[in-house]
Amino acid sequence: MYVTLENEEVSLAEIAVTSPILYDNIDQLVSVESFFKTQASMEAPIPIPTQSCLDLASLATSAKDNALLKDLGSNKAEYDKMISLYGMKWMDVFNIFPSLSGQVTLSFLLSSMKMNHPRSYSIASYKARVGSELDLAVGSFIYSRGGSRKEVGVCSNFLTNVNEGDEITFKIESNPSFHYPLDPNAPLLFICTGTGFAPIRGLLQMRSYYRSRGEKMGTAYLVFGSRSKREGLFEDEIEKFINEGTLTDAYKCYSREPGMKKQYTTDIMKNEEIEQVLAPIVSSLNGHVYICGSAHMYEMCTSVMIEMTSKFHVLKLNEEGRLHCDVFGALNPAGSVIARSRSASINEGSNLPSRRRNRVRSRKTKAYRHSTTASASDIDISLLNLKPVKLPAKKDDRLSSITKMGYRVARERERVV
């Protein structure tokens, strides 16, 4: 099948690859409001491609804008400089080049822009504890490129600003590799940083629930990293888990604590006293290790575990399915990172057929603190605003514990997308 696009016949297969937004909207009634709200990446921190700069140059009515757009499309150095100064998101383009106002058609945007892909977020709760709700730990990303203008993350900003009663579209998908051990007496080691605590929070709520029913469990240790004590991320909950016996102990480190040397999770794992506690879990026949954070952190932690035990023990953990990771990238068998979304996600789009629309039934704004953090070299300011947002859980009679990788007790694992 072929369609006519600006007097040129193009196959549907080609459009599906080169212009996915246009492909998704063929034979559809598309309102401008719906398009920019649910499908287009106008606010996504992704610069427009150089080819789009050249295409836009022909639409600019100003000679100055036309020349600059042509230069950006053909001169990589100038293109990179413009990105570092202004970001060059689609939303930025119309402010930087005012002569484009009223010249760019919806069909041009449909064929040029990237799709607003689903965002992945952890389900940080255990169903038996929260009932028909889901807990999420969402960091609202606010940053500056050096000037006074602040920019925000698309979906994280959306989620941290939803109100009770607002509709959110999402779906739950599964991942079978992240789960709680069948043996309740198995020793556990949790390693995480920041919001990486979310899936572990779900598992700890599960342990707490079973302990309250009188079930005996093995030891469980947590290695937790954050920027500073002032952030107090999950501080109260971690202490509660320790006091009630759900956690045997927790070892904390801070990378930006004033007056102290930077310390990361791998640093405290190398501490001689702590190593004597953790090494037996890694080398045991039934121990389970959970690592949640960045792909780099995963690689560093596995290296430290090899140092404290042996490569044989870590490989055995992995081969027997006792090494569980939830990272910001997927790891292939060779250990390199494959960029992809996290295992569980929420997307605010409302047009996707396989997703369910649900209203936010309650919203906590109390828990967790504000913190300041820095990321990429061209980003000077960012704000981590952690707020658990509760959403209705999927109706299911089976007991379920959904964590960041979507663990379900009945071994049916799902995720929110």
Side-chain angles (χ1 to χ4, degrees), residues 6-78:
E6 295 183 356
N7 300 321
E8 180 183 356
E9 282 195 349
V10 183
S11 70
L12 283 179
E14 183 179 346
I15 293 176
V17 175
T18 59
S19 305
I21 292 184
L22 180 60
Y23 180 81
D24 279 0
N25 286 281
I26 291 176
D27 293 331
Q28 301 292 323
L29 287 174
V30 183
S31 70
V32 174
E33 179 183 6
S34 172
F35 173 70
F36 288 115
K37 182 179 180 182
T38 66
Q39 298 185 55
S41 298
M42 290 290 287
E43 288 288 356
I46 303 172
I48 69 170
T50 53
Q51 182 58 50
S52 293
C53 292
L54 295 174
D55 295 338
L56 288 169
S58 63
L59 301 176
T61 57
S62 161
K64 179 181 176 182
D65 288 351
N66 177 279
L68 182 53
L69 282 166
K70 285 182 178 178
D71 190 34
L72 293 175
S74 56
N75 188 328
K76 188 177 186 306
E78 289 299 316

Side-chain angles (χ1 to χ4, degrees), residues 141-144 227 231 255-256 262 264 371-384:
F141 189 50
I142 304 173
Y143 64 97
S144 168
R227 291 178 60 82
E231 283 186 338
S255 61
R256 300 293 187 278
K262 292 181 180 179
Y264 300 94
S371 63
T372 304
T373 182
S375 53
S377 58
D378 62 338
I379 296 176
D380 298 319
I381 303 172
S382 67
L383 183 66
L384 186 65

Side-chain angles (χ1 to χ4, degrees), residues 108-127:
F108 178 89
L109 293 176
L110 281 169
S111 60
S112 304
M113 296 181 67
K114 292 184 178 181
M115 294 189 70
N116 189 17
H117 63 275
R119 269 59 166 190
S120 300
Y121 289 94
S122 310
I123 301 176
S125 54
Y126 176 53
K127 187 176 181 181

Side-chain angles (χ1 to χ4, degrees), residues 175-183 186-192 196 199-200 203 286-294 297-298 301-302 305 314 316-327 331 403-405 407 411 413:
N175 188 303
S177 64
F178 196 92
H179 59 83
Y180 196 80
L182 291 173
D183 180 7
L188 308 180
L189 170 57
F190 302 109
I191 308 170
C192 66
I200 292 170
L203 293 179
N286 63 339
H288 284 249
V289 178
Y290 299 81
I291 303 177
C292 307
S294 69
M297 171 198 154
Y298 171 84
C301 287
T302 51
M305 289 193 297
V314 176
K316 192 174 179 63
L317 271 175
N318 191 40
E319 290 171 357
E320 295 181 356
R322 295 184 289 114
L323 176 58
H324 316 273
C325 71
D326 179 24
V327 297
L331 299 173
T403 65
K404 181 181 261 181
M405 293 294 281
Y407 172 71
R411 289 296 183 269
R413 302 166 184 94

Side-chain angles (χ1 to χ4, degrees), residues 170-349:
F170 68 93
K171 70 176 180 180
I172 299 176
E173 293 186 352
S174 64
N175 188 303
S177 64
F178 196 92
H179 59 83
Y180 196 80
L182 291 173
D183 180 7
N185 294 311
L188 308 180
L189 170 57
F190 302 109
I191 308 170
C192 66
T193 55
T195 52
F197 182 70
I200 292 170
R201 181 178 185 263
L203 293 179
L204 291 176
Q205 284 188 359
M206 176 184 177
R207 282 176 62 88
S208 176
Y209 173 76
Y210 283 125
R211 281 193 75 264
S212 68
R213 295 172 56 181
E215 296 194 25
K216 294 183 179 180
M217 296 186 172
T219 58
Y221 291 88
L222 170 68
V223 177
F224 180 71
S226 62
R227 291 178 60 82
S228 67
K229 293 179 181 178
R230 183 174 61 87
E231 283 186 338
L233 297 181
F234 309 102
E235 190 78 27
D236 296 340
E237 292 194 27
I238 293 173
E239 291 303 316
K240 179 183 176 182
F241 286 133
I242 294 174
N243 293 335
E244 69 183 20
T246 299
L247 272 174
T248 307
D249 205 351
Y251 305 109
K252 303 172 186 177
C253 60
Y254 307 99
S255 61
R256 300 293 187 278
E257 182 67 16
M260 293 181 63
K261 182 182 177 181
K262 292 181 180 179
Q263 196 175 43
Y264 300 94
T265 51
T266 50
D267 295 322
I268 58 172
M269 289 172 67
K270 293 178 181 179
N271 178 283
E272 186 175 349
E273 292 184 4
I274 296 176
E275 182 178 331
Q276 291 177 358
V277 174
L278 305 184
I281 300 176
V282 178
S283 59
S284 67
L285 297 176
N286 63 339
H288 284 249
V289 178
Y290 299 81
I291 303 177
C292 307
S294 69
H296 175 70
M297 171 198 154
Y298 171 84
E299 292 172 344
M300 296 300 292
C301 287
T302 51
S303 296
V304 172
M305 289 193 297
I306 290 174
E307 291 176 13
M308 68 169 62
T309 57
S310 69
K311 188 173 183 179
F312 168 79
H313 286 108
V314 176
L315 287 175
K316 192 174 179 63
L317 271 175
N318 191 40
E319 290 171 357
E320 295 181 356
R322 295 184 289 114
L323 176 58
H324 316 273
C325 71
D326 179 24
V327 297
F328 294 95
L331 299 173
N332 67 19
S336 58
V337 178
I338 304 171
R340 70 168 187 174
S341 61
R342 294 176 111 168
S343 59
S345 69
I346 265 192
N347 183 283
E348 61 267 45

